[in-house]
Amino acid sequence: MTDSLGSPAIFSPGQAELSDAQLALLASVGVIRTVEVGDVLFQSGDEIFDFVAIIDAQVDVIGGSPGGEEVLIVRHGPKDFAGEINMLSDARSILSARVSGAGRVITVPRPDLHHLLAAEPELADVIVGAFIDRRRMLREGEG
């Protein structure tokens, strides 16, 4: 996996794959959307942004370099998800998510995600654990 400059992504998707049952739970509180290549799902600096569970699309998570160039952080595929730990603290997004392969995603507004994670501890373990791992990998990549 490479970014627009042909460089490899900073890290590969983790082991946090969503089950069909977990996707169904997310769909019960979210919206299934058809997305096209180039659609922006959230951008760095957004105050309000949705959690994105991927049904059969491909989503690139992108950060910025000190020189202002886009850097591919990770490319997510089916049964993975895009979001960041800032969703849990109501902080602004630090990354952007853009569709790189057309398909369907489930978008879940932040308040609905909070309620679902409180009600479904197994889902919370998967999502929160992945958020923590991803933040750690980003910090290690900065060093």
Side-chain angles (χ1 to χ4, degrees), residues 84-131:
E84 53 186 76
I85 202 163
N86 287 1
M87 300 188 93
L88 305 178
S89 64
D90 293 334
R92 291 178 185 263
S93 174
I94 61 170
L95 301 169
S96 299
R98 184 171 51 224
V99 177
S100 57
R104 294 170 300 149
V105 300
I106 303 164
T107 56
V108 180
R110 189 185 288 188
D112 296 327
L113 179 67
H114 290 182
H115 291 292
L116 186 59
L117 295 180
E120 298 290 339
E122 287 181 25
L123 181 62
D125 287 348
V126 171
I127 292 173
V128 175
F131 284 171

Side-chain angles (χ1 to χ4, degrees), residues 74-86:
V74 66
R75 179 166 288 152
H76 293 300
K79 294 193 172 188
D80 207 339
F81 52 90
E84 53 186 76
I85 202 163
N86 287 1

Side-chain angles (χ1 to χ4, degrees), residues 11-80:
F11 64 89
S12 298
Q15 302 297 328
E17 185 174 283
L18 298 168
S19 69
D20 291 337
Q22 290 168 330
L23 285 170
L25 277 171
L26 290 161
S28 74
V29 298
V31 175
I32 296 175
R33 294 179 42 197
T34 299
V35 293
E36 301 297 330
V37 173
D39 288 353
V40 175
L41 302 173
F42 57 84
Q43 284 190 264
S44 176
D46 284 353
E47 287 185 57
I48 299 171
F49 59 106
D50 293 340
F51 175 85
V52 180
I54 303 162
I55 298 172
D56 57 10
Q58 191 169 15
V59 175
D60 289 351
V61 175
I62 301 158
S65 72
E69 301 88 16
E70 286 187 345
V71 176
L72 177 64
I73 304 296
V74 66
R75 179 166 288 152
H76 293 300
K79 294 193 172 188
D80 207 339

